[in-house]
Amino acid sequence: MRVVLALAPQRWLPARRSWFPAGKQSERRGHANALRPQLGRCYMINTTKRLNAATLVAGVAAAILYGPSLDAGPRVTPDARHADGNGSDYPIRPVPFNEVEITSDFWRPRLITQRETLVPFAFERTKPGVEHLRAARDHLAGAPTPDHRPHRFIDSDLYKVMEGAAYLLQLRRDPELEASLDELVDLIAEAQHADGYLYPSHTTGVGTSRQMMGDAPYEFVVHSHELYNVGHMYEAAIAYYRATGKGKFLGVAKKSADHVYRVFFEGDPEYNGGQPVLQAPGHQEIELALVKLYRVTGEQKYLDMAQRFLEIRGVTYVPDGEGVMAPTYAQQHAPVAEQDKAVGHAVRATYLYSAMADVGALTAKPELQRALERIWANIVDTRMHITGGLGAVHGIEGFGPEYELPNADAFNETCAAVGNVMFNYRMFLLHGDAKYLDVAEVALLNNVLAAVNLDGNRFFYVNPLEADGKHPFNHGTPGRAPWFGTACCPSNLARLLPQVPGMAYAHNGDEVYATFYAASRTSLELSSGRLAIEQTTEYPNEGDIEFKLTPETPTRFCLLLRIPTWTSDRFVPGDLYHYADDCNDKITLLVNDEPYPVSVERGFAKVDRVWSRGDTVKLGLPMPVRVSECHSSVLANDQRIAFTRGPLVLCGEGVDNGGPVQRFFFKEPPRTTSATTSTATIASGSFLQVALPAETVTAEGGVDQATLNLTPYYAWNNRGVSSMCVWFPRTRDLAQFDPLALPDDSPFVEIAASHTFEEDALSAIADNHEPRWSSGNKSTRWSSRPRTGEPQWVEGRFANARRIRSVGVYWFDNNKDVKTPEEWSLEVKREGSWSPMDLYVTDEYGTRVNQYNVVHPAAGLTCEAIRVNMTPQQDASVGILEIDVVFEENDVVRSAKGDASEALAK
């Protein structure tokens, strides 16, 4: 690494097993008692006063619920004006989510599922984070913690779920949930040091540089997640304070933030040799949280911290490596105000851009706004999938080169889609342009909602635009998974979805914005009095939207109705996608059932008039099925088309289409006027479906006329695992009857097995895809699951008798239910009869992982087929990732993998 500007030398204290020895509570333990000198008296505020913009713009702002006896906590002024007096902020103010009642048949079931299933399920799954904090608490109390294992960010998942639970409390009081959160707050306070430090792995001494944590606190900020974790803790604490009025958790957050300020910007003798660290975190998050902490406390220091973290990024520290240590990975390649392209890890990037918008708005920094406009244009013009997904490239989980937007191999982390919503919503608040809302809506309705099933208990981490139903793209599974070792995505959903109602309405003076359409009710304060709004619609499934407006007294204001980009010549803003068909349907607008001219400015139709009680507005947005083509520079979508309806991306699923959907193609863009719509209903919910005429390739290589059934992308994989496709080919040559069929260069023309697990593929053993690791998390594989301890076999037949040089087997071993066999052997088929293959004298049937286990025949061997016989370990299944057969032909050794080398001997 290279230090670009050495503002302060970083001297690390010598490593020791624990930075904070057990048993010295008087020196090290903070806990609740350490807060006592800071506690202020409980207080009430006049809730009849209008909330100031600083609270409202947070998007998650809520009326604070007060009881007769609040827990003691630090005195804060939730509605404090800006300490610097400049009054800068977002010009547009959203109506808080807890002041919007959702009545939508589309959204309301999801919010119910959030409360009844997703959040309780997420709490159950984040128990390891609780144990992580308990270890820190116990160590500080002098108790041994011999079983504590290091983890960089497992507690952050717990904080995100707590934040989501606090939002639910703002919507409805729940004494049982509140009591559970109180217990967790007590634990977090007891895991925090007296000086405010909170990071269990360093507290107990188990965290080292080997786990990318550094050997001392803040020694490896680029990857330790120390600041990322506490950032999420701050957000949870603020949400809980706003929900309950209890100040203890907020006190923990303030204590941590004050500690970070000392260590990073002033210098603390206990850390970094007393010198200020002056390094931006490797994973952005604390910047967003510090802005929220400033809003709720009114303390200028926290906004200053957020600004300084932004200002030193790419200045005081720039890594000089590759991959996760590349300068672009965490957007450290240049000062943030000078950046102009989206690069690196996509989640880090969107969190950074959201923080830049917040700080830029609050400090009136036009250079940050200009940088964001450049970056946004780069995203929508070159780097965003049609689903709103960001970060197409595996490995760095981030942005690749411009126009690199693969389909089956797309990464598109769910958290990046969440970040896309956060970033674009802030850009709307900043600029008042609906194009930002259009991007946020596409990301929310497609990528974000696809990340959780309708039951609320299975999740996507990775969101591709094509799947064959067998490849385990989703961290080891070919469909949604119940949880992940790195569980940032499910916990992010737990905190985002309750906030969706807060994106429905906004206002600026006497301008009222209808931003996200959903059946709902709300009221807001205008200069002339309160205005009640009731919205009726079946959006996003239908485009008819009706508003009933009830002002206290007749008053003039401007109602701004978003006219989405998808009603124009393209589905989403930017140059990447455009419609390949025409639509002559017109947008309609009625005021009190009388036609009103539609004049669109910055993506909004304005209705400026004097309004009276009971006035109605009816907006009609035509929703035909549309056909999209992609920019010619996106090679993955060359000669392919995609289908959308309204704001929803459509996909085909094998479950609806009698087999792999990769066999469908369209020689010409279809006439979508012939498309029919219906509603599919399953136990966990319902969703729209579309049917339209298409062509398919047949098993014999011919072409048939057929009907292609399409499902909203968000709803795929709710009815079992099957194939899926968004971008369909325009030519017969690009269509595949069976994407899992053996390739032409496979050593075998026919394969069979004793048993194949339904989520695996037998063809994996001979698809010529080179494995990297035996774990099989990213490889299509064959396994005998769930059968354990039973002998298994796989066999492959050649096109004709072949002379074999060697056979290599690459075992699938996930160290769980599938393991290398206890023993195995080869049989060969000659002249119709099977017999054991005699091994070369020095060979053995190996079971090593992460490599081929190669055996050779004892003498020249010509055969028609081979069979691998396997005896599993007890209580385990067996699996194979690949079989490599090397043939001998005319003194040249030919591998099924396509390489060739001269024979060692004739």
Side-chain angles (χ1 to χ4, degrees):
M1 72 180 66
R2 58 189 173 93
V3 177
V4 175
L5 181 61
L7 298 182
Q10 296 194 5
R11 296 189 295 110
W12 308 122
L13 298 174
R16 43 182 158 157
R17 189 182 185 283
S18 173
W19 279 101
F20 309 102
K24 296 191 176 182
Q25 297 91 329
S26 61
E27 299 177 28
R28 300 295 185 186
R29 287 191 65 185
H31 314 333
N33 289 337
L35 289 174
R36 295 299 176 191
Q38 309 172 34
L39 298 182
R41 297 179 60 189
C42 303
Y43 63 95
M44 299 285 287
I45 64 171
N46 183 353
T47 56
T48 63
K49 292 182 179 179
R50 233 186 333 165
L51 294 175
N52 116 359
T55 302
L56 288 173
V57 300
V60 298
I64 300 174
L65 306 175
Y66 296 96
S69 76
L70 298 179
D71 281 3
R75 285 197 71 165
V76 297
T77 308
D79 297 345
R81 298 286 174 181
H82 306 310
D84 59 6
N86 64 22
S88 299
D89 210 331
Y90 289 111
I92 298 173
R93 298 172 289 174
V95 176
F97 74 92
N98 63 321
E99 295 181 11
V100 178
E101 180 187 358
I102 292 293
T103 58
S104 163
D105 288 339
F106 182 86
W107 282 109
R108 188 169 180 80
R110 286 170 169 78
L111 296 177
I112 293 173
T113 298
Q114 172 86 9
R115 177 180 292 276
E116 296 181 353
T117 302
L118 198 158
V119 167
F121 181 80
F123 268 128
E124 180 68 25
R125 291 289 182 158
T126 52
K127 283 183 177 179
V130 176
E131 294 305 315
H132 195 53
L133 290 163
R134 280 181 180 151
R137 177 201 63 187
D138 292 347
H139 181 87
L140 291 173
T145 57
D147 298 325
H148 186 216
R149 307 178 96 181
H151 203 291
R152 286 184 294 157
F153 45 76
I154 198 168
D155 44 331
S156 70
D157 299 328
L158 174 65
Y159 300 145
K160 282 180 279 188
V161 178
M162 292 179 69
E163 182 186 352
Y167 294 146
L168 294 180
L169 286 181
Q170 292 186 47
L171 295 171
R172 190 181 78 194
R173 293 302 295 264
D174 183 333
E176 184 177 352
L177 176 60
E178 186 172 333
S180 297
L181 288 173
D182 284 342
E183 291 181 10
L184 290 172
V185 169
D186 289 342
L187 173 61
I188 295 166
E190 292 167 353
Q192 185 181 40
H193 297 264
D195 64 2
Y197 185 70
L198 179 61
Y199 190 73
S201 293
H202 277 325
T203 295
T204 65
V206 297
T208 67
S209 57
R210 184 176 180 180
Q211 296 93 18
M212 302 181 74
M213 301 179 193
D215 292 320
Y218 307 122
E219 183 179 289
F220 200 51
V221 174
V222 67
H223 283 301
S224 68
H225 285 66
E226 284 159 292
L227 300 186
Y228 171 85
N229 295 346
V230 296
H232 278 301
M233 186 267 286
Y234 301 170
E235 294 206 58
I238 293 163
Y240 192 58
Y241 174 73
R242 283 177 165 150
T244 66
K246 298 176 180 178
K248 182 174 183 178
F249 199 6
L250 188 63
V252 173
K254 281 171 51 64
K255 186 175 177 182
S256 169
D258 293 343
H259 158 80
V260 171
Y261 182 83
R262 287 193 309 274
V263 173
F264 277 76
F265 301 116
E266 292 182 332
D268 185 314
E270 294 292 325
Y271 301 86
N272 195 37
Q275 297 296 317
V277 176
L278 284 174
Q279 182 178 332
H283 197 313
Q284 298 88 328
E285 157 59 22
I286 194 172
E287 302 90 341
L288 287 165
L290 286 167
V291 170
K292 289 186 178 182
L293 195 58
Y294 160 69
R295 291 188 186 283
V296 80
T297 66
E299 293 190 33
Q300 182 69 27
K301 174 171 63 176
Y302 302 134
L303 177 58
D304 292 344
M305 287 174 67
Q307 182 176 343
R308 293 188 70 179
F309 275 130
L310 292 180
E311 289 174 344
I312 65 175
R313 181 170 295 278
V315 176
T316 61
Y317 169 84
V318 178
D320 189 13
E322 298 179 352
V324 299
M325 289 302 295
T328 54
Y329 178 73
Q331 299 77 43
Q332 295 172 309
H333 58 292
V336 296
E338 298 176 13
Q339 296 186 24
D340 56 6
K341 294 182 178 180
V343 297
H345 189 270
V347 182
R348 286 167 165 83
T350 53
Y351 284 18
L352 170 64
Y353 307 151
S354 299
M356 289 168 65
D358 281 349
V359 172
L362 286 164
T363 60
K365 296 285 186 181
E367 63 271 23
L368 293 181
Q369 298 179 19
R370 289 192 293 267
L372 291 176
E373 290 166 13
R374 296 191 300 268
I375 291 167
W376 183 86
N378 180 254
I379 289 173
V380 299
D381 287 344
T382 69
R383 300 175 192 266
M384 185 174 74
H385 275 96
I386 195 170
T387 56
L390 300 181
V393 177
H394 289 253
I396 65 166
E397 302 180 339
F399 298 103
E402 292 179 343
Y403 302 108
E404 185 169 337
L405 296 168
N407 291 316
D409 199 37
F411 193 78
N412 288 351
E413 182 180 342
T414 294
C415 288
V418 171
N420 202 14
V421 175
M422 292 164 49
F423 170 39
N424 276 277
Y425 192 70
R426 284 165 166 80
M427 291 293 280
F428 158 69
L429 296 178
L430 195 61
H431 296 289
D433 195 319
K435 66 183 181 181
Y436 302 113
L437 293 171
D438 296 345
V439 175
E441 177 182 67
V442 166
L444 175 66
L445 291 177
N446 295 287
N447 198 335
V448 172
L449 287 190
V452 58
N453 66 347
L454 296 176
D455 283 319
N457 58 12
R458 296 185 73 88
F459 308 91
F460 280 140
Y461 191 107
V462 180
N463 294 273
L465 279 74
E466 183 177 345
D468 60 20
K470 301 295 182 181
H471 179 68
F473 66 86
N474 189 36
H475 283 214
T477 65
R480 290 187 184 86
W483 205 251
F484 306 99
T486 300
C488 51
C489 296
S491 53
N492 238 346
L493 293 171
R495 73 187 188 119
L496 173 67
L497 294 181
Q499 301 178 67
V500 168
M503 293 185 263
Y505 303 96
H507 62 109
N508 177 18
D510 287 332
E511 291 184 325
V512 178
Y513 293 83
T515 48
F516 279 8
Y517 296 125
S520 56
R521 287 187 288 266
T522 192
S523 64
L524 60 153
E525 190 76 25
L526 302 178
S527 59
S528 56
R530 292 203 68 80
L531 167 67
I533 303 176
E534 182 174 359
Q535 181 183 163
T536 305
T537 183
E538 294 182 21
Y539 195 92
N541 291 324
E542 301 297 339
D544 293 327
I545 306 147
E546 180 175 354
F547 295 89
K548 181 179 179 181
L549 305 173
T550 308
E552 283 183 334
T553 60
T555 185
R556 187 180 192 94
F557 62 87
C558 183
L559 179 65
L560 293 94
L561 305 168
R562 183 170 63 93
I563 307 299
T565 297
W566 56 259
T567 64
S568 66
D569 64 345
R570 63 198 63 210
F571 177 66
V572 69
D575 291 337
L576 276 170
Y577 310 103
H578 64 275
Y579 290 138
D581 59 346
D582 296 320
C583 177
N584 297 319
D585 298 338
K586 302 297 183 183
I587 296 169
T588 61
L589 181 59
L590 303 176
V591 177
N592 293 330
D593 293 324
E594 294 293 329
Y596 194 92
V598 179
S599 177
V600 180
E601 181 180 336
R602 297 168 68 83
F604 288 96
K606 293 187 174 183
V607 184
D608 191 347
R609 67 193 298 272
V610 175
W611 300 88
S612 300
R613 295 176 65 88
D615 282 347
T616 62
V617 177
K618 296 178 182 178
L619 176 66
L621 303 175
M623 277 194 181
V625 176
R626 301 300 303 269
V627 181
S628 286
E629 291 180 332
C630 195
H631 194 287
S632 60
S633 297
V634 181
L635 300 182
N637 293 333
D638 184 35
Q639 293 296 307
R640 291 180 180 271
I641 57 176
F643 299 94
T644 61
R645 185 177 184 273
L648 300 177
V649 174
L650 303 176
C651 68
E653 277 194 276
V655 68
D656 294 312
N657 291 285
V661 289
Q662 286 80 0
R663 71 186 194 278
F664 289 89
F665 69 100
F666 299 86
K667 284 189 292 189
E668 299 293 337
R671 296 176 61 87
T672 55
T673 53
S674 60
T676 60
T677 61
S678 60
T679 299
T681 301
I682 59 178
S684 53
S686 62
F687 45 87
L688 182 98
Q689 287 195 303
V690 171
L692 49 80
E695 293 183 283
T696 68
V697 294
T698 65
E700 296 76 24
V703 174
D704 275 349
Q705 302 298 311
T707 296
L708 173 62
N709 297 295
L710 298 169
T711 296
Y713 179 79
Y714 75 78
W716 87 278
N717 191 232
N718 271 279
R719 295 165 294 164
V721 176
S722 67
S723 60
M724 182 275 292
C725 184
V726 170
W727 288 96
F728 290 90
R730 292 280 304 277
T731 66
R732 157 71 181 83
D733 292 343
L734 291 176
Q736 296 176 280
F737 176 76
D738 182 3
L740 295 169
L742 292 173
D744 293 339
D745 57 353
S746 173
F748 307 119
V749 295
E750 185 179 343
I751 52 180
S754 52
H755 170 74
T756 300
F757 178 46
E758 61 181 6
E759 292 187 7
D760 294 332
L762 178 58
S763 60
I765 69 172
D767 60 8
N768 290 342
H769 292 167
E770 192 72 20
R772 292 188 62 188
W773 310 103
S774 286
S775 62
N777 281 343
K778 297 182 179 179
S779 302
T780 308
R781 62 277 178 112
W782 167 85
S783 81
S784 64
R785 292 179 291 185
R787 299 183 180 180
T788 59
E790 302 177 14
Q792 304 291 332
W793 55 264
V794 298
E795 63 183 42
R797 181 175 66 82
F798 310 131
N800 46 55
R802 305 294 297 272
R803 188 178 180 195
I804 292 179
R805 167 61 67 90
S806 66
V807 176
V809 179
Y810 204 114
W811 298 110
F812 169 34
D813 187 329
N814 62 11
N815 203 30
K816 297 175 184 176
D817 57 337
V818 181
K819 298 181 180 179
T820 57
E822 187 72 33
E823 59 182 16
W824 67 285
S825 63
L826 277 176
E827 288 183 289
V828 295
K829 190 175 186 180
R830 290 181 287 190
E831 298 180 354
S833 298
W834 290 98
S835 61
M837 186 183 88
D838 295 328
L839 286 191
Y840 186 70
V841 63
T842 58
D843 281 359
E844 63 177 358
Y845 288 114
T847 57
R848 292 176 292 276
V849 296
N850 303 328
Q851 67 175 72
Y852 284 99
N853 293 267
V854 180
V855 293
H856 306 78
L861 173 64
T862 300
C863 62
E864 302 134 26
I866 63 170
R867 177 187 289 160
V868 181
N869 294 308
M870 297 157 282
T871 301
Q873 296 184 41
Q874 187 176 7
D875 298 327
S877 302
V878 288
I880 296 174
L881 297 181
E882 193 73 16
I883 296 177
D884 183 29
V885 183
V886 179
F887 301 112
E888 286 189 272
E889 295 178 0
N890 299 326
D891 300 327
V892 175
V893 178
R894 298 190 181 277
S895 167
K897 300 203 168 296
D899 57 353
S901 60
E902 291 298 323
L904 296 177
K906 293 186 179 180

